[in-house]
Amino acid sequence: MLYTSAQGTVELRQAQQATLLHGPLTPYLVDPVVLRRDAQAAIDAQPLLPRTFIFHFDTSDSKITKGSESLLQQVQEELQRRQAPDVSITGHTDTAGEARRNVQLAQGRADHVARILKPYLTNALSVEISSHGETNLLVPTANGVNEPRNRRVEVVVR
């Protein structure tokens, strides 16, 4: 990394290397304890990364599979970790069945998950519930294909 000032240019070639902003452009290593102390406020201010949870469903059903039930606790814990989470709950289907019916089915799935999570969404800044039907497939398939991985609700907590 190059640093340029009125005094000239210096190349910083390794981690934890610095130079004075005013004065001679001589590279030096910053003590890790000092660096951590000086950067701690910025480190603490970083937002939590978004988390995505995928709930799966049986064919033509709006109830989550037994295998997805354990995700509920994880979503609840993630919601509690955040002061004002932004949440999106998006329903999906596979391509089996009529496209218009799949939009409704995916919406029913998203609504079902939202109802389960409702007690934990009280501090949410926003909650968006939507349906993608059989569009936006996780596993691309031809029309009319029964694909379990496409029958899902994605819950994203930001």
Side-chain angles (χ1 to χ4, degrees), residues 26-82:
T26 306
Y28 65 94
L29 287 177
V30 179
D31 181 290
V33 173
V34 172
L35 182 62
R36 181 106 176 132
R37 181 200 66 212
D38 292 349
Q40 192 62 53
I43 292 168
D44 292 344
Q46 290 182 16
L48 295 172
L49 294 175
R51 293 248 346 248
T52 301
F53 303 89
I54 298 178
F55 294 86
H56 292 282
F57 295 78
D58 290 326
T59 304
S60 299
D61 197 354
S62 292
K63 293 183 180 178
I64 61 175
T65 62
K66 292 283 184 197
S68 292
E69 288 178 356
S70 64
L71 290 176
L72 291 170
Q73 180 67 32
Q74 293 176 41
V75 175
Q76 293 168 6
E77 290 169 1
E78 189 64 28
L79 290 167
Q80 291 170 348
R81 287 181 55 204
R82 298 166 188 263

Side-chain angles (χ1 to χ4, degrees), residues 95-103 134:
T95 60
E98 181 189 353
R100 185 173 51 211
R101 164 93 172 91
N102 282 341
V103 170
E134 61 183 52

